[in-house]
Amino acid sequence: MPSVIIIGANRGIGLGFAKLFSKYDNWNIYATTRNVQATGELGNISENISIYKLDVVKPVDVSNLAKEFENKNIDLIIHNAGVYGHNMTRAEVMEVNSLAPFKVIDSLMPSLLRGDQKKIAILTSQMGARNGGKTPTGVYGASKAALNDQYRIVELEWRKRGISSLVFHPGWVKTDMGGSSAPVEIKESVIGMYSVLEELCLENSGRFMDWRGMELSW
Ligand SMILES: NC(=O)c1ccc[n+]([C@@H]2O[C@H](COP(=O)([O-])OP(=O)(O)OC[C@H]3O[C@@H](n4cnc5c(N)ncnc54)[C@H](OP(=O)(O)O)[C@@H]3O)[C@@H](O)[C@H]2O)c1
């Protein structure tokens, strides 16, 4: 039974992923949330879900999670947690969006390396792209640009270790972050990304993909 861990799964796109993977009964699902006392919908999705506490910027949470996984294998890590940054400082936004994904993934690396599939997906945004001569937009865009830059460096190391990975622009999605006028439904976004993940392998690792399977430029 393959295992996926979804980081930041209590609402929005992360919850959408948890629901989708629960429909495929061959997946064992690990999901993280900051508040395990109020798991809401996540707690009622399926018996195949195990829920763990994780605030991605709290070192104690990251190391506790790693301990929980000392004897568990992971096939796929989806790092979804992110903030737009309302009422947060630039440093706080960078901490969550740019730095935490790599700290969390590093802490789970032994489990991933024991897994059969060895896949990683990180949620980024097209607002962090410099394509078409545009510059990243605002603190949020800068934080996702920093995420993308760091990803492109570590991905080479990951690939040498047999790990295939990508970063996703999920679309402009109807969530708390995307708002109610966003054109893409959560279900559409996660179904699309799931299809891209099925095709992910070492040969096509290292790309910036959108939810429709289109490759984006950095
Ligand atoms: N929606 C869009 O249009 C869109 C577009 C491009 C990229 N994205 C990216 O897609 C990802 C998911 O976005 P979304 O729209 O689903 O956002 P959302 O509805 O605002 O949900 C954000 C998720 O991240 C979690 N999170 C935030 N800070 C965290 C922390 N310090 N530790 C652990 N978890 C934390 C939240 O947990 P809490 O409930 O505890 O806050 C929540 O589960 C993000 O990385 C976002 O940047 C979204």
Side-chain angles (χ1 to χ4, degrees):
M1 207 174 179
S3 296
V4 57
I5 183 162
I6 304 159
I7 306 296
N10 57 303
R11 61 187 168 102
I13 293 168
L15 180 62
F17 268 126
K19 286 181 183 170
L20 184 71
F21 277 92
S22 73
K23 295 210 168 61
Y24 299 95
D25 57 8
N26 57 336
W27 281 95
N28 189 23
I29 304 161
Y30 303 123
T32 78
T33 175
R34 285 200 270 198
N35 186 356
V36 286
Q37 262 73 54
T39 54
E41 245 188 291
L42 180 64
N44 299 321
I45 289 177
S46 135
E47 287 175 1
N48 273 350
I49 297 192
S50 313
I51 299 174
Y52 300 88
K53 175 180 170 20
L54 178 68
D55 184 323
V56 297
V57 295
K58 289 197 175 150
V60 65
D61 282 9
V62 175
S63 64
N64 285 344
L65 186 74
K67 279 189 205 122
E68 293 274 7
F69 281 84
E70 271 171 3
N71 297 313
K72 295 184 186 75
N73 297 359
I74 299 173
D75 289 276
L76 166 63
I77 299 174
I78 300 179
H79 195 290
N80 166 77
V83 287
Y84 192 75
H86 300 295
N87 303 318
M88 292 173 76
T89 64
R90 174 176 288 268
E92 286 167 342
V93 176
M94 299 299 275
E95 192 67 44
V96 176
N97 289 351
S98 323
L99 303 176
F102 302 101
K103 292 181 188 172
V104 171
I105 290 166
D106 278 353
S107 78
L108 296 170
M109 196 50 87
S111 306
L112 186 75
L113 289 170
R114 287 195 305 269
D116 292 328
Q117 299 192 21
K118 300 182 181 57
K119 293 183 182 181
I120 298 172
I122 307 175
L123 275 284
T124 184
S125 169
Q126 203 165 23
M127 287 172 81
R130 299 178 175 90
N131 53 335
K134 288 183 207 148
T135 50
T137 319
V139 177
Y140 177 75
S143 71
K144 294 294 191 180
L147 165 67
N148 291 356
D149 285 349
Q150 182 64 16
Y151 167 71
R152 293 171 79 186
I153 295 164
V154 299
E155 190 275 330
L156 299 171
E157 294 303 318
W158 289 349
R159 210 183 312 173
K160 282 186 202 151
R161 303 176 85 179
I163 297 165
S164 45
S165 65
L166 51 73
V167 290
F168 268 129
H169 171 62
W172 178 18
V173 188
K174 214 171 272 168
T175 63
D176 293 338
M177 188 187 292
S180 55
S181 38
V184 181
E185 299 291 335
I186 293 173
K187 199 172 169 189
E188 183 189 350
S189 174
V190 295
I191 287 175
M193 290 190 280
Y194 186 91
S195 304
V196 178
L197 285 170
E198 281 187 309
E199 302 299 321
L200 176 61
C201 60
L202 285 174
E203 287 67 34
N204 62 27
S205 180
R207 295 183 301 165
F208 180 11
M209 303 295 289
D210 80 2
W211 80 107
R212 297 163 298 190
M214 285 174 59
E215 186 170 358
L216 304 176
S217 65
W218 302 96

